[in-house]
Amino acid sequence: MDNHRSNIANLNLIDLDNYAQTYRMIKENFGHQIAANWKEKTDPRKFVYEDCAIAAYLLETWRRKKRFPQNFCDIGCGNGLLVYLLYKLQVKGYGVDIRKRNIWLDFKGADLRELALNPELETNSDCNEFRRVDYLIGNHCDELTPWIPVIAARLRCDFFLLPCCPYDFYSRYRKKSKSSAGYSSYWSYLDYIKSICMRLGYKVEEDGLKIPSTKRYCFVCSVPNEKLPEDIDARISEILLTSKSGNFIPREKISQETYDFREWRRGKTCNILEIANLLDSNEKNQLKNSNGGVKTFLKNQHQIFYVINFNLYSRVAGNEVSIRNWPVEGQRHVEGKLKTRKCWFKENHPDGCPLSDTDCSYSHIF
């Protein structure tokens, strides 16, 4: 099966010149200053300017439709930057996340709320809070991604959805079919999310954002002129019943103030084949041509990954990979030796580097 999304141009739904001007304005007026004072462990060159681009895209989308939200809600707003940018751009709304972030204090005026949302419940105080919302934003909202169309349908409102980590309603999403060569889990997940939106009666438009992320395809969904189906509640119940495999469990709330880096998340070991299945045929060919394949590429990333080769005598499963135990393995710095390479964990890991700049064998100064 050929993936039609490979033919979708970036920013296909909006005027490119207007978008470029809007993005430049947001970046110059707000982005540079925010990036210079960024307090999160994430890389501001990626996360700040990515949200500047998403804010610009939303503005141009609303201009195209000639309809701005009166009260949007960004569900799973994370660091709250997108909400803050929209607030500075005079768009009214708020963001909710399961955990308050320290950086929220810097975003003066933005309405950011700590809320453990349980979208499975039909009517509760959480849903009542959304009654005045007329637009939903789901920007890399992980386990809440498939719920965004459902919540929007309950509210009879439009929404923007940028899927990232694949979840269904109750657990991690698993690719439904392996019959299509070159059809990755990511593309399969996008089809799954699109099917939910269409089943609920939305007009679904797809686009590719111009952001520094491989997960850049988004859905812009609108209530059609003829409105959503009259049996929308029954359709929601049917979708949830078909997917039912337990109860929705929000992610564990971790306080930034009390987080102990001794609990630094290393993750689990997985087979390289699982990683390869996340890539489409073009991505695999690119890796093969430039790096000799997925396994060779992972082995060459010495700081990050540990690749376990098959060993007949120790009976270790072959071709498995894990993140290195960096709290232990990272302390290899030779006194007096100049650190010239950046620490990948400091720059990219959600918990940052578990070691200090002095102890880590890579540089924390970027």
Side-chain angles (χ1 to χ4, degrees):
M1 179 187 298
D2 292 331
N3 177 32
H4 72 279
R5 293 186 183 88
S6 61
N7 298 320
I8 296 178
N10 288 338
L11 311 177
N12 186 55
L13 299 178
I14 58 176
D15 184 278
L16 291 178
D17 291 335
N18 290 344
Y19 168 81
Q21 292 178 14
T22 301
Y23 173 66
R24 190 180 307 113
M25 178 272 293
I26 295 174
K27 185 176 179 180
E28 292 177 355
N29 290 351
F30 311 111
H32 291 323
Q33 183 177 359
I34 293 171
N37 297 284
W38 193 244
K39 296 178 181 178
E40 296 283 275
K41 297 182 178 68
T42 50
D43 182 2
R45 292 169 297 179
K46 176 184 187 298
F47 288 89
V48 172
Y49 298 125
E50 179 171 310
D51 277 358
C52 288
I54 294 172
Y57 185 87
L58 286 170
L59 283 183
E60 293 308 316
T61 295
W62 295 328
R63 286 197 181 104
R64 173 175 68 94
K65 294 178 175 293
K66 299 180 180 179
R67 185 170 67 251
F68 278 72
Q70 299 302 305
N71 191 31
F72 73 82
C73 179
D74 183 355
I75 295 181
C77 65
N79 58 42
L81 176 56
L82 181 59
V83 176
Y84 177 69
L85 290 172
L86 292 175
Y87 159 74
K88 298 296 285 186
L89 295 164
Q90 308 299 311
V91 184
K92 183 181 178 182
Y94 65 97
V96 298
D97 199 272
I98 192 171
R99 173 170 59 86
K100 181 180 180 180
R101 312 299 172 88
N102 290 333
I103 201 170
W104 286 7
L105 297 174
D106 294 343
F107 297 151
K108 306 295 184 184
D111 188 351
L112 300 167
R113 308 175 187 180
E114 186 177 49
L115 174 67
L117 174 65
N118 187 344
E120 188 174 16
L121 302 180
E122 288 289 342
T123 56
N124 58 18
S125 58
D126 296 336
C127 290
N128 289 335
E129 182 170 348
F130 295 142
R131 292 306 176 196
R132 297 178 183 176
V133 169
D134 62 349
Y135 198 93
L136 290 184
I137 297 172
N139 173 22
H140 291 179
C141 53
D142 295 345
E143 70 272 16
L144 290 171
T145 298
W147 290 96
I148 298 295
V150 170
I151 299 172
R154 289 172 179 165
L155 299 173
R156 294 355 184 226
C157 73
D158 300 347
F159 64 93
F160 166 88
L161 185 56
L162 179 60
C164 183
C165 300
Y167 285 86
D168 63 21
F169 290 99
Y170 300 103
S171 62
R172 293 284 294 190
Y173 171 81
R174 295 188 179 277
K175 188 177 177 181
K176 303 304 181 184
S177 173
K178 297 183 179 180
S179 60
S180 302
Y183 204 64
S184 70
S185 295
Y186 175 54
W187 302 127
S188 174
Y189 185 59
L190 292 179
D191 284 344
Y192 168 69
I193 296 299
K194 182 178 180 179
S195 70
I196 296 172
C197 301
M198 297 189 69
R199 176 62 181 144
L200 294 174
Y202 276 95
K203 177 185 176 183
V204 181
E205 297 178 290
E206 297 181 62
D207 207 351
L209 301 185
K210 198 169 183 180
I211 57 176
S213 172
T214 56
K215 307 297 191 300
R216 59 184 183 84
Y217 288 96
C218 69
F219 297 105
V220 179
C221 297
S222 308
V223 175
N225 293 332
E226 60 272 19
K227 307 298 181 184
L228 295 180
E230 293 183 1
D231 64 342
I232 190 66
D233 292 329
R235 294 191 183 202
I236 291 174
S237 297
E238 178 188 358
I239 290 171
L240 296 181
L241 183 61
T242 302
S243 305
K244 190 70 173 178
S245 60
N247 296 318
F248 177 81
I249 302 176
R251 68 175 61 184
E252 183 180 355
K253 178 181 175 182
I254 302 175
S255 170
Q256 282 186 316
E257 289 74 21
T258 60
Y259 188 80
D260 187 343
F261 276 112
R262 287 175 295 181
E263 301 297 327
W264 185 77
R265 290 170 288 185
R266 184 185 176 191
K268 299 180 180 180
T269 298
C270 70
N271 193 280
I272 290 179
L273 183 60
E274 295 179 55
I275 299 174
N277 286 337
L278 297 174
L279 307 175
D280 61 32
S281 57
N282 290 332
E283 291 168 333
K284 289 178 182 177
N285 287 333
Q286 288 177 6
L287 272 180
K288 185 175 182 179
N289 292 335
S290 58
N291 295 280
V294 176
K295 181 178 178 180
T296 303
F297 172 78
L298 293 172
K299 291 180 72 173
N300 287 340
Q301 312 307 309
H302 302 293
Q303 183 198 359
I304 310 166
F305 301 111
Y306 175 59
V307 178
I308 306 170
N309 291 313
F310 180 76
N311 188 316
L312 179 63
Y313 299 100
S314 65
R315 297 183 180 180
V316 175
N319 296 331
E320 294 190 334
V321 62
S322 67
I323 289 180
R324 288 192 177 277
N325 187 11
W326 202 242
V328 176
E329 297 183 60
Q331 302 186 59
R332 299 175 178 172
H333 178 55
V334 178
E335 189 67 32
K337 183 178 179 180
L338 182 64
K339 301 178 186 179
T340 58
R341 298 182 63 185
K342 298 178 182 178
C343 175
W344 185 91
F345 295 109
K346 172 72 174 179
E347 191 171 12
N348 298 286
H349 195 284
D351 296 334
C353 180
L355 302 173
S356 68
D357 183 34
T358 302
D359 293 335
C360 184
S361 53
Y362 289 79
S363 175
H364 286 194
I365 302 174
F366 302 153

